[in-house]
């Protein structure tokens, strides 16, 4: 849903569910999610977002400024790193005491690989049941160009950097690759199947296209 806030047009993802109150969430990458009760009208959603318009714009501006600033990784206890869509101090992710910068970089990458393998495994179990498919295997690797892939032999591959993304974005990549077990090409049938599990998959694609470069070491 697009909403005009002054001279700025913002894109909001709206999630409806059995909840009592409407809430607005902005993740560290700038993705805006409005969680609303079932049957909430578009007018009510727009009104709620506009009510908090100035605060939302300020948060987005701060996020954009941080994203365009030169990236100098601080491999120290208070250095900030993304994990599952949220920033954490380095010492919250790995042991930092007595380690050199090279050791911290190595250990952090190991942490992301392990975290990604665990989360991807959990999400595959959920969605393979819904799609009624079973991959032969999956591995985690490092790639600069792909978030995931599926071979004709039903082997799946996922980029370790997905561990930095919000869980719903990870879900999209998992669903995408599992759907390739049914349709190897990106034809209409493939996208219909993806959409049957995740109707807002285009928002997740847009997230990766816009913020994927920020999810790196």
């Amino acid at each position: 849903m697009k909403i005009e806030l002054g001279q700025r047009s913002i894109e909001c993802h709206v999630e409806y569910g059995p909840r009592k109150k409407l809430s607005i969430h902005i993740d560290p990458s700038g993705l805006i999610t409005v969680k609303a009760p079932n049957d909430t009208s578009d007018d009510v959603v727009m009104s709620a977002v506009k009510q908090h318009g100035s605060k939302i714009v300020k948060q987005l501006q701060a996020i954009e400024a941080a994203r365009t600033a030169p990236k100098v990784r601080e491999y120290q206890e208070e250095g900030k790193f993304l994990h599952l869509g949220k920033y954490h101090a380095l010492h919250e992710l790995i042991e930092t005491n007595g380690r050199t910068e090279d050791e911290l970089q190595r250990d952090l990458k190991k942490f992301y690989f392990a975290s990604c393998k665990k989360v991807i495994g959990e999400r595959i179990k959920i969605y393979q049941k819904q799609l009624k498919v079973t991959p032969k295997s999956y591995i985690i690797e490092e790639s600069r160009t792909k978030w995931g892939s599926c071979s004709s032999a039903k082997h799946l591959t996922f980029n370790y950097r997905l561990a930095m993304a919000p869980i719903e974005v990870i879900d999209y990549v998992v669903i995408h690759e599992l759907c390739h077990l049914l349709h190897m090409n990106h034809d209409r049938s493939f996208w219909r199947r993806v959409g049957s599990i995740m109707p807002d998959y285009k928002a997740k694609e847009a997230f990766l296209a816009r913020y994927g470069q920020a999810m790196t070491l």
Side-chain angles (χ1 to χ4, degrees):
M1 176 185 292
K2 285 189 177 180
I3 300 177
E4 302 297 326
L5 295 179
Q7 296 181 337
R8 180 167 185 150
S9 177
I10 65 169
E11 185 76 31
C12 296
H13 167 56
V14 185
E15 292 182 359
Y16 298 97
R19 51 180 61 90
K20 294 182 179 180
K21 295 182 179 180
L22 183 149
S23 58
I24 302 170
H25 306 267
I26 304 176
D27 74 12
S29 65
L31 184 66
I32 304 171
T33 302
V34 179
K35 296 185 178 181
N38 287 324
D39 301 323
T40 302
S41 69
D42 288 351
D43 287 343
V44 170
V45 171
M46 289 183 182
S47 176
V49 172
K50 289 181 178 180
Q51 183 179 351
H52 299 280
S54 60
K55 181 179 178 181
I56 291 171
V57 170
K58 285 182 180 179
Q59 284 186 250
L60 292 177
Q61 289 173 339
I63 290 169
E64 289 162 0
R67 190 168 64 243
T68 55
K71 294 292 187 288
V72 178
R73 292 298 184 189
E74 296 182 4
Y75 286 91
Q76 56 188 19
E77 285 194 6
E78 298 304 323
K80 299 295 184 181
F81 294 86
L82 277 170
H83 182 232
L84 301 182
K86 295 181 180 180
Y87 280 102
H88 297 267
L90 183 59
H91 70 86
E92 296 175 329
L93 303 178
I94 62 172
E95 176 59 51
T96 58
N97 291 332
R99 282 168 168 73
T100 66
E101 183 169 322
D102 286 344
E103 289 172 335
L104 291 173
Q105 291 184 47
R106 179 201 64 199
D107 291 350
L108 183 60
K109 182 173 283 191
K110 284 183 178 179
F111 166 81
Y112 281 127
F113 265 87
S115 176
C116 189
K117 185 173 183 179
K118 178 177 182 294
V119 173
I120 292 290
E122 293 170 348
R123 310 318 282 180
I124 284 177
K125 287 180 181 178
I126 293 172
Y127 293 111
Q128 70 178 12
K129 291 180 181 178
Q130 295 184 38
L131 289 162
K132 296 181 173 59
V133 296
T134 304
K136 286 188 176 179
S137 68
Y138 77 95
I139 62 170
I140 308 302
E141 69 171 15
E142 181 172 3
S143 173
R144 292 190 176 187
T145 59
K146 294 182 178 180
W147 293 108
S149 64
C150 174
S151 75
S152 57
K154 298 185 177 181
H155 297 292
L156 307 184
T157 301
F158 297 93
N159 193 324
Y160 85 94
R161 295 190 292 122
L162 283 170
M164 304 177 194
I167 194 68
E168 61 269 19
V169 174
I170 298 174
D171 282 349
Y172 162 66
V173 179
V174 169
I175 291 167
H176 184 115
E177 301 310 331
L178 287 174
C179 283
H180 275 314
L181 298 175
L182 299 168
H183 307 279
M184 283 303 294
N185 297 318
H186 290 101
D187 57 14
R188 189 173 297 176
S189 297
F190 169 82
W191 290 114
R192 275 202 300 263
R193 199 69 187 96
V194 172
S196 70
I197 303 296
M198 180 173 280
D200 66 334
Y201 70 85
K202 288 186 178 180
K204 308 305 186 292
E205 280 192 321
F207 176 96
L208 289 171
R210 186 175 182 182
Y211 303 113
Q213 290 185 340
M215 298 190 302
T216 187
L217 292 179

